[in-house]
Amino acid sequence: MLKQLAKAPSVDWRTIDHVVSLPLGSWRAARAMLRARGDRSGSRMAYSGGVFEIMSPSWNHEFIKKNIARLLEGWALAEGVDLQGAGSWTLENATEEVLVEPDECYLVGVRAGRKVPDLAIEVRWTGGGIEKLPIYAALGVKEVWVWDRGAISAHVLRGATFVRSARSTLLPTLDLARLARHASMEDQSKA
């Protein structure tokens, strides 16, 4: 096995997200994995349908995520929108047996005891892994933005599923296409 690894092609760890999916099969085992990690950050975890996923985001993934967060927060400040950032808040629903840690998430308005954010942001840099929209639907997150290949798509919760929307319903005056263009800029200050 070690000889096979030694012959494996070199991987640029800065540009590829590393995803491990484990068929744990039980919510109890998923919760044990989450507890074992504790409050340490870095990796993001998700669980649904008996599969536990651990994702270690690449530098590029984190750079895009941070650009989106900075731009969104700057826009909200300039527009007077009451936006509360909650980062990669661990969201879980024991009844539905799902959990997810978004790249970024926000509450619109005061937190006032809410157990889930209004908005979650996901960056799809490397394909594969658990489909997260059904998890967010089970959690009751109102809106999810997905950055993928330079574009941001808004997904709005309607009943128990997400519907793709041309605009954000939470922040309807925000131009998502413009946000996406600037999120891909290499200089965060100029973005």
Side-chain angles (χ1 to χ4, degrees):
M1 175 80 167
L2 290 176
K3 287 181 183 181
Q4 288 174 328
L5 289 174
K7 293 179 184 179
S10 178
V11 174
D12 185 349
W13 299 97
R14 295 168 298 170
T15 62
I16 298 173
D17 295 335
H18 302 283
V19 180
V20 176
S21 295
L22 305 170
L24 293 183
S26 80
W27 175 246
R28 187 176 180 172
R31 290 288 302 133
M33 292 286 285
L34 191 62
R35 279 192 308 276
R37 189 215 41 207
D39 288 335
R40 293 180 298 275
S41 64
S43 63
R44 295 203 185 67
M45 300 185 173
Y47 177 82
S48 180
V51 178
F52 189 81
E53 177 182 280
I54 304 167
M55 192 262 289
S56 178
S58 66
W59 187 92
N60 288 342
H61 182 128
E62 289 294 275
F63 185 84
I64 294 290
K65 176 218 46 144
K66 183 52 75 178
N67 260 1
I68 293 169
R70 289 181 72 185
L71 291 165
L72 175 58
E73 291 162 11
W75 173 87
L77 194 60
E79 295 294 314
V81 174
D82 191 6
L83 192 66
Q84 312 301 319
S88 295
W89 179 10
T90 302
L91 310 171
E92 56 186 292
N93 181 322
T95 304
E96 298 291 329
E97 296 187 349
V98 294
L99 72 85
V100 69
E101 294 175 328
D103 286 316
E104 290 286 340
C105 65
Y106 295 89
L107 294 106
V108 179
V110 180
R111 180 174 175 185
R114 290 187 273 170
K115 300 198 185 309
V116 296
D118 297 306
L119 170 64
I121 299 172
E122 286 290 333
V123 172
R124 286 189 185 149
W125 183 260
T126 303
I130 294 174
E131 177 55 43
K132 296 194 176 75
L133 286 177
I135 298 173
Y136 286 117
L139 291 163
V141 174
K142 294 177 186 173
E143 192 166 304
V144 178
W145 296 353
V146 178
W147 180 95
D148 190 359
R149 295 183 190 103
I152 296 175
S153 58
H155 304 266
V156 178
L157 189 61
R158 297 281 185 246
T161 60
F162 281 99
V163 175
R164 193 166 177 163
S165 175
R167 299 197 77 68
S168 169
T169 57
L170 292 170
L171 307 169
T173 61
L174 179 64
D175 183 342
L176 290 175
R178 188 174 184 194
L179 175 64
R181 277 193 310 275
H182 287 83
S184 300
M185 292 177 68
E186 290 188 26
D187 187 327
Q188 289 180 342
S189 296
K190 287 182 181 175

